[in-house]
Amino acid sequence: AGGADFIAKPFNLKELKAKVDYLLSIGSRTSQIREMADFASKTAMTAMSSMSELGSLLEALKNFNSREDFQGIAVNVIAGIGAFGLQGVVQIMTPQGKLLLSDRGAATPLEASVIDHMITMERIAHFKTRLSIHYDRVALLVSNMPTYDEDLCGRLRDHLAILIEAADVRVRSVVSAMESNLRGQAIEKTMRQISDTLRDIDINQRKNLVNVRTAVEEMISRVDKTLLEVALTEAEEAHMMKIVREGAEKVIRTHAEETDVQNRLSEIVAELGKLVN
């Protein structure tokens, strides 16, 4: 019949009261146990959901490492929010301008306008089913936040904040790599120009040194021949030739002293050649 206990007539009032008190206490403890069981069940479900959500988040974060372009980063963000069952638009500020991508492909002008407006608000702004998160170079607008579940909504908000911050870090890393590459190209071009210029200077200086020595030798030869045609005494000729030879030797000696510098210049040109080739 569904009774919890029975008592025969005639009954003792104290016995009846004791039985009733006992049954009420059992009912209260049963109710508490059921509440604890429900709480444990909900906690376990929340923990499993959180683990699943964290797994999706970690997978998205890991995928950022393989993204070397802005389009790939945007695709990874859309895939990341899709793993949570969300839809939205991501905007990336690139050196070439804005890149927008939605879960349906290219973002509509209305979506672009909304995300631009929400960027002017707080870093994380939540209004009904819409959520916007923005950092320096990456902004996200989610259109279907699960407002029916406050706990889930809060967890997703935290996960998405981490996701967009990671995307922003990756975008800035790609931008830095691009700028570094451009600087490297500029440095390489400058180094090549310096190398070519120094090589030309080296070649010209060596040619000039050879030409100077040749010109000095020709001058001495011409002076020697000219003196034969001039009516000078042997002593005068010897004195004249001595002056000419001393001057020529001084010029050659001066150029010879520059040979060490010239050799060092040639070494520098050779080292630069190795760097730019």
Side-chain angles (χ1 to χ4, degrees), residues 4 15 23 40 65 67 75 81-82 89 114 123-126 137 150 154 156 174 235 237 245 259 267-268 274:
E15 181 184 358
L23 292 175
N65 294 329
R67 302 299 186 181
V75 168
I81 68 172
V89 182
V114 172
R123 184 178 296 280
I124 300 178
H126 193 180
R137 289 189 173 273
E150 187 176 347
L156 291 180
V174 172
E237 289 183 6
R245 290 184 182 280
T259 301
E267 293 174 0
I268 292 174
K274 294 178 183 178

Side-chain angles (χ1 to χ4, degrees), residues 51-66:
M51 290 298 293
S52 176
E53 293 161 8
L54 287 173
S56 299
L57 176 61
L58 291 174
E59 183 67 20
L61 296 179
K62 182 182 69 175
N63 290 337
F64 278 132
N65 294 329
S66 61

Side-chain angles (χ1 to χ4, degrees), residues 215-234:
V216 168
E217 291 174 358
E218 290 179 355
M219 180 193 68
I220 293 174
S221 176
R222 291 177 61 186
V223 169
D224 192 24
K225 291 179 181 179
T226 301
L227 291 177
L228 294 175
E229 301 172 0
V230 179
L232 296 175
T233 64
E234 291 185 2

Side-chain angles (χ1 to χ4, degrees), residues 5-237:
D5 201 348
F6 74 93
I7 188 169
K9 293 181 179 180
F11 58 86
N12 182 282
L13 187 59
K14 290 183 178 180
E15 181 184 358
L16 175 61
K17 185 177 184 302
K19 284 180 176 290
V20 171
D21 289 343
Y22 174 71
L23 292 175
L24 288 175
S25 66
I26 289 177
S28 177
R29 287 198 295 270
T30 302
S31 178
Q32 291 176 357
I33 291 172
R34 286 175 179 170
E35 289 178 359
M36 292 173 61
D38 290 343
F39 177 76
S41 177
K42 290 180 180 179
T43 301
M45 291 298 296
T46 300
M48 288 189 291
S49 298
S50 296
M51 290 298 293
S52 176
E53 293 161 8
L54 287 173
S56 299
L57 176 61
L58 291 174
E59 183 67 20
L61 296 179
K62 182 182 69 175
N63 290 337
F64 278 132
N65 294 329
S66 61
R67 302 299 186 181
E68 301 293 339
D69 60 285
F70 304 119
Q71 181 71 23
I73 295 173
V75 168
N76 195 73
V77 171
I78 294 300
I81 68 172
F84 297 129
L86 302 175
Q87 299 173 344
V89 182
V90 61
Q91 175 179 284
I92 296 179
M93 297 298 296
T94 75
Q96 293 75 35
K98 296 178 182 178
L99 168 63
L100 288 106
L101 183 69
S102 75
D103 53 285
R104 301 176 305 282
T108 65
L110 177 59
E111 289 173 327
S113 175
V114 172
I115 200 170
D116 280 342
H117 173 69
M118 298 192 79
I119 285 176
T120 63
M121 302 168 67
E122 297 179 356
R123 184 178 296 280
I124 300 178
H126 193 180
F127 179 71
K128 294 184 179 180
T129 60
R130 294 184 181 275
L131 171 71
S132 72
I133 303 174
H134 68 89
Y135 281 81
D136 292 341
R137 289 189 173 273
V138 181
L140 173 69
L141 173 63
V142 176
S143 58
N144 63 330
M145 289 295 287
T147 54
Y148 55 85
D149 188 334
E150 187 176 347
D151 291 338
L152 175 60
C153 214
R155 293 199 307 273
L156 291 180
R157 186 165 54 244
D158 293 340
H159 296 333
L160 295 178
I162 295 173
L163 179 69
I164 300 308
E165 184 177 10
D168 184 76
V169 170
R170 188 57 186 163
V171 169
R172 285 189 280 115
S173 175
V174 172
V175 171
S176 296
M178 292 174 60
E179 292 174 348
S180 177
N181 185 52
L182 291 175
R183 286 194 298 270
Q185 292 177 359
I187 291 173
E188 181 180 355
K189 181 180 179 181
T190 303
M191 291 288 288
R192 192 177 298 279
Q193 291 174 340
I194 292 174
S195 178
D196 292 342
T197 301
L198 290 178
R199 185 181 62 251
D200 293 341
I201 292 173
D202 184 41
I203 293 172
N204 290 334
Q205 286 186 345
R206 290 188 178 279
K207 286 181 179 179
N208 290 339
L209 182 59
V210 172
N211 292 336
V212 167
R213 290 181 177 177
T214 301
V216 168
E217 291 174 358
E218 290 179 355
M219 180 193 68
I220 293 174
S221 176
R222 291 177 61 186
V223 169
D224 192 24
K225 291 179 181 179
T226 301
L227 291 177
L228 294 175
E229 301 172 0
V230 179
L232 296 175
T233 64
E234 291 185 2
E236 290 174 336
E237 289 183 6

